[in-house]
Amino acid sequence: MKKDRVFVGTGRRKTSVAQVRMVPGKGNITINGVDVKEFFPYETNIMDLKQPLVATNNENTFDITVKVNGGGFTGAAGAIRLGIARALLQYDEGNEGKEDSYRTILKRAGFITRDARIKERKKPGLKAARRAPQFSKR
């Protein structure tokens, strides 16, 4: 039943959107058709997106395929992390409410919450979102 199913999760962070597909496998992660180590230049981004898998002891349980659009590396990593967390919740359906459920573990770690911080828009008359032109008394 669960062996051949595909678990799907969508994650967003800043301007990045990630569509995550998890299939039982050996722990391979592919992003936009490229291996995760080739896609991300920094090891911290890879560690960041694997956090839900580490928290639930599923590092080598699933093969993950990701399509990610928009933003930079940090936003993409955050979006993938949320997508993986949501796919894990789909995998663990029916265990909610128990102490060892994935929902409890991921919620405590803060991986289910979407990080809503985005860039603030520039306002007219200012140089940036809040940066005003330099004041001159004379």
Side-chain angles (χ1 to χ4, degrees):
M1 173 176 92
K2 283 187 178 181
K3 299 236 185 277
D4 56 343
R5 280 195 50 205
V6 176
F7 306 99
V8 181
T10 302
R12 292 180 187 86
R13 168 85 165 88
K14 293 188 176 184
T15 57
S16 295
V17 180
Q19 295 169 314
V20 177
R21 292 172 47 93
M22 282 187 356
V23 180
K26 296 198 170 32
N28 301 322
I29 301 175
T30 310
I31 303 170
N32 292 348
V34 180
D35 187 58
V36 69
K37 290 188 170 96
E38 292 174 39
F39 186 84
F40 285 114
Y42 307 112
E43 191 65 34
T44 51
N45 293 132
I46 298 168
M47 286 170 37
D48 189 35
L49 72 90
K50 285 184 176 179
Q51 283 178 326
L53 297 169
V54 173
T56 57
N57 295 325
N58 284 314
E59 293 161 275
N60 300 318
T61 312
F62 297 103
D63 285 340
I64 300 172
T65 309
V66 181
K67 284 184 200 167
V68 66
N69 289 322
F73 295 122
T74 306
I80 294 167
R81 181 174 79 174
L82 180 59
I84 290 172
R86 287 180 172 170
L88 283 168
L89 290 179
Q90 197 179 63
Y91 169 73
D92 197 45
E93 266 176 358
N95 276 346
E96 292 92 2
K98 295 180 182 166
E99 191 60 35
D100 62 340
S101 72
Y102 286 177
R103 179 165 199 83
T104 309
I105 295 166
L106 295 171
K107 185 102 171 145
R108 273 198 200 123
F111 299 142
I112 297 176
T113 309
R114 196 254 202 237
D115 190 345
R117 295 176 295 168
I118 56 168
K119 190 170 183 176
E120 190 175 338
R121 78 176 200 86
K122 182 194 174 298
K123 277 73 168 197
L126 300 180
K127 291 180 177 253
R130 298 181 185 207
R131 170 79 171 105
Q134 187 173 0
F135 175 75
S136 172
K137 201 166 195 177
R138 282 173 201 88

